[in-house]
Every structure is written in C-alpha cells, then in structure tokens.
Amino acid sequence: MSDNFLPPLHPQFSYHIDHVGNEKTPVLVVDNFLQDAEKLLELAMKFGDFRDGTNFYPGIQSNVPDFYSQALQLYLTEIICKAFNLKLENIHYSVSTYSLVLTPPARLALPQSRPHVDTIHKEQLACVHYLCTPEKGGTSLYRHRATGFEQLSPERMDVYGEHLDKEALDTSWHKKYINGSNQYYEEIGRYEANFNRLIVYPSDVLHSASIPENLQFRPNPIVGRLTLNSFIYLK
C-alpha cells in the first residue's frame, strides 16, 4: 500500500447515523471502512515518524499517506453531507494523523482529564478511525452537568469558563482519564473501538477518548491504542 494506492471499501462496509443527547448532535458511525485496514498498521510501523502530539493530545502522532485523505473524500463525502446536512461545496479539505495514546494518568495536564472540544466554531468535523480493538477504549460524548451544554460556542464560553474554574478546585478528578460519567459530566454517547470502525462528529461537541484504567501505554502501533484522527474543514 503506497502513497498513490487507493484502498477499496471493505465488502461489509456499513454505516448509520445517530442523534445524541438533548441537542441531537449527529454522529456518523461507519463499520468495516477499508478493505485490508491491517495494512494501515504496517504503514504506521514502517514509515511512521511519530512525534509529541499537538493541542493536548496525550501521546504521539505521525503523518498519514496522502491516499488516506483521498479515501475519506471519495467514499464518505456524500454520506457526511447527508449526516450533517451539508452540501458538497461546504467540504473544504481534510488533515489526518496517526495517533497513539501514551501519556499515563499521573502525567496528565488538567485539560486532558475532562471532555473537550476541538473548536468552538462550526467550522470542522472530527473523525476517529480505530486501528485497535475494544479493550483499548473508544470515544464518548458528554453533557456538562452544571450548564447542560453538550456543544460549545463563543456565546457559551463565559458561563462555561466560570464553572471550569470552580470545578478545577476539586482535585478528586485530576490525573485521571475520564471514562464514563463523573460528578461534572454525564456521558450521553459511547462508541467502542471496534477495529476498522470510523466515527464522525462535529468538533464543537464535548467529547473524550474513553481510556480504561488498565490500558498498557505501549509505543508500538500494533499493540497500542492506535487511531487515525482526521479533521474535515468546512467552508
């Protein structure tokens, strides 16, 4: 599988669209995305140039061959338009990275212990393509209990920020990965890391990787929690 090779869809490709929480956030769930997805693991092992993650990602990341973005565009654009009520011209481009969780709980920064959004503007979608199995942990969406917010926007940030400051004083949830509901956030949707499953959701929804307590933080893509994380930028 080289940079100019476009892998075919898996013969058992399927998808469905959920609407999660009180705000009915659409989530696109694709199962059995690409045929021979195991080769994506081989590429990560052979050619991955892993480096520290950006934007508080708790691990390491590496570039992905160009064919992957082409596959997203070819196979998923029309389905994404259907799921998120978009037109083809709304989709600008995508950026993808291999992502491997490596940070143990004791080394987490405070923002890494709670759900987050990738942007507070309706300008992008997030994709997670699981190249690992369910025991490595999936992805969950959340509602902030005190405000009821499930998505964040510029208009909500003042109120939300005030609550974050107060909640930060409680150290009982620090240095932990959130994995399900806690005293400040209610889990409203959960997607397990089935191998070759891909989920797409708006980047302004509160979400987090669901990292189990017994996860072994291994830098090897074959045995670690490896995902392909993509952002689809909208215009």
Side-chain angles (χ1 to χ4, degrees):
M1 194 181 284
S2 62
D3 276 11
N4 58 6
F5 176 78
L6 191 62
L9 280 179
H10 193 284
Q12 294 178 307
F13 173 93
S14 65
Y15 75 91
H16 67 271
I17 301 164
D18 293 338
H19 291 88
V20 177
N22 295 333
E23 298 185 341
K24 304 300 181 186
T25 299
V27 179
L28 172 63
V29 183
V30 174
D31 283 307
N32 302 308
F33 178 33
L34 295 177
Q35 185 168 306
D36 297 326
E38 293 80 6
K39 292 183 179 178
L40 292 169
L41 291 173
E42 296 175 15
L43 286 174
M45 286 290 294
K46 291 180 180 179
F47 306 112
D49 181 20
F50 284 90
R51 60 198 180 276
D52 288 343
T54 59
N55 298 322
F56 286 106
Y57 181 79
I60 55 177
Q61 295 180 305
S62 175
N63 293 335
V64 179
D66 290 341
F67 73 77
Y68 187 77
S69 290
Q70 296 169 13
L72 288 179
Q73 180 177 345
L74 177 64
Y75 299 137
L76 296 184
T77 296
E78 290 188 7
I79 299 172
I80 287 171
C81 286
K82 174 184 176 181
F84 299 97
N85 194 27
L86 298 170
K87 297 180 180 178
L88 290 176
E89 56 265 28
N90 295 141
I91 296 179
H92 192 26
Y93 65 97
S94 64
V95 173
S96 303
T97 56
Y98 283 115
S99 299
L100 187 60
V101 171
L102 276 187
T103 305
R107 291 176 46 204
L108 290 177
L110 190 57
Q112 295 170 317
S113 290
R114 61 187 169 211
H116 65 279
V117 299
D118 303 310
T119 178
I120 58 172
H121 303 285
K122 294 191 177 299
E123 60 190 11
Q124 68 188 51
L125 303 172
C127 308
V128 182
H129 185 184
Y130 301 104
L131 298 177
C132 57
T133 44
E135 71 274 9
K136 303 296 196 312
T139 302
S140 292
L141 276 58
Y142 289 91
R143 175 186 303 119
H144 183 239
R145 293 185 187 275
T147 61
F149 296 161
E150 298 169 358
Q151 300 179 20
L152 297 184
S153 64
E155 296 76 21
R156 291 181 169 184
M157 288 309 298
D158 285 347
V159 172
Y160 185 64
E162 291 176 4
H163 285 278
L164 291 191
D165 291 340
K166 296 175 184 176
E167 292 163 5
L169 300 176
D170 176 5
T171 60
S172 67
W173 57 271
H174 297 192
K175 305 298 182 182
K176 297 177 183 177
Y177 283 101
I178 189 168
N179 185 7
S181 299
N182 67 12
Q183 62 267 49
Y184 300 115
Y185 292 91
E186 179 183 355
E187 183 182 67
I188 58 174
R190 186 179 187 93
Y191 297 92
E192 300 298 340
N194 293 341
F195 185 82
N196 205 21
R197 166 179 281 178
L198 180 145
I199 66 170
V200 187
Y201 51 87
S203 288
D204 62 351
V205 66
L206 285 163
H207 65 278
S208 179
S210 303
I211 305 298
E213 290 185 6
N214 62 352
L215 180 69
Q216 299 295 311
F217 296 94
R218 299 178 179 177
N220 185 326
I222 299 295
V223 297
R225 188 189 185 278
L226 183 68
T227 57
L228 271 169
N229 291 23
S230 306
F231 290 119
I232 297 173
Y233 294 94
L234 307 177
K235 59 180 179 179

